[in-house]
């Protein structure tokens, strides 16, 4: 069953009167319940634009989005979604538990449950020993981890993660990867945007490759590798992008 | 409304950390305190001076604080990108906007109470406890400050900080001059000038409506009826401003 459905989604950015920059062009894909779905693409390919559209932060130029059968602005739907932005910035005067409590209250979760979840999540992301430390003293990796905890505060059905391992050291990356696999086992659906190919290769059930706002390929990794006669994800990634750029040059 | 309140409390806590706020507050205390320096005047004149300078100080520094806090309440969230996380939560953009307004009002209230207590302390020290007219004046000043803050907050939903700060100060000055401008417009033969002032008089908030200090300082009583009517004017203007702000925050791409 599809929990996220994107149909012919287009987003144009208007710069000045006549200049239009393509954020996304006619993109369609579905994310099935319980899978980890990876959005791959170089910088500026439209990954973050796609996630912002999904969360109702941006408005689409055209196209449709359905998450758990509701549109992207539906408040009830958002109660079932967790989001980790790229390079997360939070209110730096708050401590980790204060931040989690603030977000938890926005989900109208009772205090008793929030407090239990905060304890559990701080252990999960290994920040339980720095409970009294304000976020302004956190390292980039710690911010990423508290961001991940914040995205789980509502025990969401769908987790949307934008570059979740940016700023993490190799151990942190492995731990995050393991956590994603564990969350999948718990039944959560994860939509992951990344330009770290090895990360995507190891955790994602299906992938999609974006480039310059266009969706170039989508499907299971092994099927795509066969289709494009590639030697691995890296080769597939380069081939699809080069093919697209060559077509563009010919035009 | 509960979510808006949560966002408001968060805005309040964040604003408390701004050093500029304390600098403005200290300067306001100095100005209010300096009103006592006119000891060469008679006791009655000195009291008038204290009231006049204090009311003006509370209004002026309150306006500076209102503009300064509202100016950055939304743009900080966008610049620091905290708004992305916030908008991914089950809140409406109206929750966010109203929350920012609550936060601004809370910080204004705190500063206003501190300045007012200092002023009242000064009056008590001068063995002239504040009468009801003093409280009426303070009440109307506070409503004016809320209006100033909410206008800046609304402009922040669609304009840059640089434009907003210029616009807000322009509006603050013009808002105190529209009554005079309207009187002049009635006398002038120049139709363009007349029309321009009439438009300004209608659109721009008339901040002079909230100014009863000139009367109170010289001992003229202002009725509750006037305070009530002016309060209603402030609330209606605020409602219109909030509708405009809600519309623009809903439309805004972040």
């Amino acid at each position: 069953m599809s929990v996220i459905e994107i149909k012919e989604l287009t987003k144009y950015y208007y710069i000045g009167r006549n200049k239009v920059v393509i954020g996304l062009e006619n993109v369609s894909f579905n994310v099935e319940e319980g899978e980890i779905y990876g959005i791959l693409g170089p910088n500026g390919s439209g990954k973050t634009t796609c996630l912002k559209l999904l969360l109702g932060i941006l408005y689409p130029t055209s196209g449709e989005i359905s998450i758990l059968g509701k549109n992207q602005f539906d408040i009830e739907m958002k109660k079932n979604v967790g989001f980790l932005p790229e390079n997360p910035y939070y209110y730096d005067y708050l401590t980790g538990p204060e931040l989690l409590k603030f977000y938890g209250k926005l989900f109208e979760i009772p205090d008793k449950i929030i407090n239990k979840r905060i304890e559990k999540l701080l252990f999960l992301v290994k920040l339980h020993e720095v409970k009294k430390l304000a976020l302004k003293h956190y390292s980039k990796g710690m911010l990423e981890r508290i961001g991940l905890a914040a995205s789980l505060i509502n025990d969401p059905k769908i987790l949307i993660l934008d570059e979740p391992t940016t700023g993490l050291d190799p151990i942190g990356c492995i731990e995050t990867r393991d956590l994603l696999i564990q969350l999948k086992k718990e039944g959560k659906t994860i939509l992951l945007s990344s330009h770290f190919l090895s990360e995507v290769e190891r955790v994602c059930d299906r992938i999609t490759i974006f480039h310059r706002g266009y969706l170039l390929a989508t499907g299971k990794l092994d099927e795509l590798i066969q289709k494009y006669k590639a030697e691995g994800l890296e080769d597939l990634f380069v081939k699809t992008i080069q093919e697209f750029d060559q077509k563009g040059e010919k035009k | 409304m509960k979510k808006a309140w949560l966002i408001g409390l968060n805005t309040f806590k964040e604003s408390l950390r701004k050093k500029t706020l304390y600098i403005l507050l200290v300067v306001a205390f100095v100005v209010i305190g300096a009103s006592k320096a006119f000891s060469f005047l008679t006791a009655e004149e000195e009291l008038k001076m204290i009231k006049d300078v204090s009311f003006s100080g509370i209004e002026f520094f309150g306006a500076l604080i209102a503009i300064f806090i509202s100016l950055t309440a939304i743009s900080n969230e966008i610049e620091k990108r905290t708004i992305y996380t916030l908008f991914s939560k089950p809140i409406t953009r109206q929750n966010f906007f109203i929350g920012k307004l609550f936060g601004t009002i809370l910080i204004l209230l705190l500063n206003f109470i501190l300045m007012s207590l200092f002023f009242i302390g000064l009056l008590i020290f001068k063995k002239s406890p504040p009468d009801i007219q003093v409280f009426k004046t303070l009440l109307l000043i506070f409503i004016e400050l809320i209006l100033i803050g909410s206008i800046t907050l609304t402009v922040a939903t669609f304009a840059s900080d640089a434009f907003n700060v210029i616009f807000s100060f322009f509006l603050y000055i013009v808002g105190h001059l529209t009554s005079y401008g309207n009187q002049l417009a009635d006398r002038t033969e120049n139709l363009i000038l007349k029309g321009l002032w009439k438009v300004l008089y209608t659109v721009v908030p008339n901040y002079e409506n909230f100014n009863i200090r000139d009367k109170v300082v010289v001992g003229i009583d202002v009725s509750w009826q006037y305070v009530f009517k002016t309060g209603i004017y402030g609330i209606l203007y605020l409602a219109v401003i909030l509708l405009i702000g809600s519309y623009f925050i809903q439309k805004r791409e972040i």
Side-chain angles (χ1 to χ4, degrees):
Chain A
M1 189 184 84
S2 295
V3 286
I4 300 176
E5 291 176 73
I6 294 174
K7 280 182 201 160
E8 295 166 4
L9 192 62
T10 296
K11 174 67 189 173
Y12 295 149
Y13 295 104
Y14 296 93
I15 303 168
R17 280 190 180 177
N18 301 318
K19 199 174 176 190
V20 176
V21 174
I22 296 173
L24 277 186
E25 180 72 57
N26 205 25
V27 164
S28 299
F29 66 89
N30 291 351
V31 180
E32 301 297 320
E33 189 174 14
E35 74 173 341
I36 302 183
Y37 192 94
I39 300 179
L40 276 173
N43 291 335
S45 58
K47 303 187 297 288
T48 300
T49 296
C50 182
L51 299 190
K52 282 185 185 174
L53 287 165
L54 274 173
L55 293 158
I57 296 169
L58 287 177
Y59 293 102
T61 306
S62 63
E64 280 177 30
I65 296 170
S66 165
I67 304 174
L68 298 167
K70 302 275 172 64
N71 74 39
Q72 70 271 39
F73 305 109
D74 190 277
I75 296 296
E76 285 306 308
M77 176 277 290
K78 284 191 175 183
K79 286 183 179 173
N80 292 306
V81 175
F83 172 57
L84 171 70
E86 184 183 5
N87 296 322
Y89 289 88
Y90 298 110
Y91 306 104
D92 60 6
Y93 52 91
L94 297 178
T95 63
E98 284 169 347
L99 182 84
L100 297 182
K101 191 154 197 164
F102 171 64
Y103 286 137
K105 284 193 166 186
L106 289 178
F107 283 98
E108 296 174 290
I109 304 167
D111 274 358
K112 214 176 167 182
I113 297 173
I114 293 183
N115 292 337
K116 275 186 188 169
R117 271 194 203 155
I118 288 172
E119 287 296 317
K120 192 181 145 192
L121 288 170
L122 287 176
F123 262 100
L124 191 71
V125 297
K126 298 191 172 155
L127 289 172
H128 55 284
E129 285 175 357
V130 288
K131 277 184 195 169
K132 288 183 181 170
L133 193 68
L135 264 57
K136 65 179 169 192
H137 301 299
Y138 273 31
S139 68
K140 212 175 168 189
M142 288 162 85
L143 279 174
E144 202 72 42
R145 282 187 277 151
I146 197 68
L148 197 55
S151 68
L152 291 166
I153 192 69
N154 54 323
D155 191 19
K157 287 181 184 165
I158 298 173
L159 200 53
I160 298 176
L161 310 173
D162 195 1
E163 309 282 0
T165 51
T166 308
L168 292 182
D169 57 29
I171 303 289
C173 287
I174 293 168
E175 285 171 354
T176 304
R177 199 188 304 148
D178 292 344
L179 178 62
L180 295 185
I181 293 166
Q182 187 193 322
L183 290 169
K184 185 195 163 187
K185 281 180 187 163
E186 287 174 17
K188 297 195 190 307
T189 306
I190 300 169
L191 178 60
L192 168 79
S193 140
S194 180
H195 56 251
F196 290 116
L197 302 181
S198 62
E199 177 181 282
V200 171
E201 198 166 17
R202 287 182 194 179
V203 300
C204 293
D205 300 298
R206 289 194 302 143
I207 62 158
T208 188
I209 298 174
F210 281 11
H211 182 48
R212 295 185 182 176
Y214 289 85
L215 190 154
L216 306 189
T218 184
K220 286 187 178 172
L221 184 59
D222 48 356
E223 288 172 4
L224 287 175
I225 286 172
Q226 263 190 346
K227 186 179 169 187
Y228 284 86
K229 291 172 188 156
E231 286 167 15
L233 178 58
E234 194 177 289
D235 192 32
L236 170 73
F237 187 73
V238 173
K239 269 187 175 169
T240 49
I241 286 173
Q242 278 178 347
E243 197 178 284
F244 178 85
D245 285 344
Q246 278 164 6
K247 274 184 195 168
E249 278 167 20
K250 277 179 194 168
K251 277 183 187 174
Chain B
M1 204 52 101
K2 196 182 165 189
K3 290 174 188 174
W5 180 244
L6 279 169
I7 293 167
L9 280 180
N10 200 44
T11 306
F12 175 70
K13 284 182 200 164
E14 195 170 15
S15 301
L16 280 180
R17 301 173 53 78
K18 289 177 180 160
K19 284 176 189 157
T20 320
L21 187 73
Y22 296 100
I23 295 169
L24 285 173
L25 202 57
V26 167
V27 178
F29 284 155
V30 170
V31 169
I32 296 168
S35 62
K36 214 182 98 24
F38 299 91
S39 51
F40 54 87
L41 301 171
T42 63
E44 196 184 339
E45 284 172 334
E46 192 189 359
L47 204 62
K48 279 182 189 170
M49 187 59 82
I50 289 173
K51 282 184 182 174
D52 198 13
V53 172
S54 300
F55 285 142
S56 302
I58 291 169
E59 195 260 353
F60 179 70
F61 288 100
L64 287 185
I65 291 168
I67 292 173
F68 168 70
I69 294 296
S70 320
L71 186 71
T72 51
I74 291 177
S75 61
N76 263 0
E77 294 264 9
I78 295 170
E79 271 169 34
K80 291 181 178 175
R81 295 195 266 175
T82 45
I83 202 162
Y84 295 153
T85 320
L86 210 51
F87 279 6
S88 72
K89 308 298 175 210
I91 61 161
T92 61
R93 293 188 177 208
Q94 281 71 28
N95 284 153
F96 172 76
F97 181 66
I98 301 292
K100 287 290 161 190
L101 181 70
F102 281 162
T104 305
I105 292 174
L106 279 179
I107 201 86
L108 271 178
L109 182 65
L110 177 71
N111 284 284
F112 178 77
I113 287 173
L114 289 174
M115 288 191 285
S116 300
L117 283 178
F118 188 71
F119 162 54
I120 289 166
L122 216 58
L123 289 181
I124 293 170
F125 179 73
K126 280 282 156 192
K127 297 191 173 70
S128 172
D131 57 13
I132 194 69
Q133 294 299 322
V134 167
F135 288 107
K136 283 177 185 173
T137 313
L138 288 174
L139 176 66
L140 287 183
I141 289 175
F142 186 61
I143 296 172
E144 181 192 341
L145 297 182
I146 292 176
L147 211 52
I148 292 169
S150 62
I151 289 173
T152 306
L153 195 70
T154 292
V155 176
T157 59
F158 59 85
S160 69
D161 283 0
F163 173 83
N164 197 356
V165 77
I166 294 167
F167 180 80
S168 297
F169 278 112
F170 171 77
L171 208 64
Y172 176 67
I173 295 164
V174 173
H176 277 287
L177 295 175
T178 48
S179 298
Y180 304 114
N182 196 44
Q183 287 166 17
L184 284 175
D186 286 339
R187 289 181 206 162
T188 185
E189 300 284 313
N190 187 328
L191 285 175
I192 296 170
L193 199 66
K194 202 182 192 101
L196 187 71
W197 271 112
K198 287 290 175 191
V199 170
L200 275 177
Y201 185 71
T202 312
V203 177
V204 170
N206 189 347
Y207 291 138
E208 269 307 290
N209 281 347
F210 301 94
N211 177 13
I212 56 169
R213 59 181 179 267
D214 297 343
K215 288 178 185 162
V216 170
V217 164
V218 294
I220 300 170
D221 283 357
V222 175
S223 67
W224 272 114
Q225 194 189 0
Y226 179 83
V227 174
F228 184 73
K229 264 169 63 181
T230 311
I232 294 289
Y233 167 76
I235 289 166
L236 286 176
Y237 207 97
L238 183 67
V240 173
I241 287 297
L242 292 186
L243 281 176
I244 296 169
S246 295
Y247 171 79
F248 279 109
I249 197 74
Q250 188 64 41
K251 285 265 174 194
R252 182 153 184 178
E253 297 250 41
I254 293 152

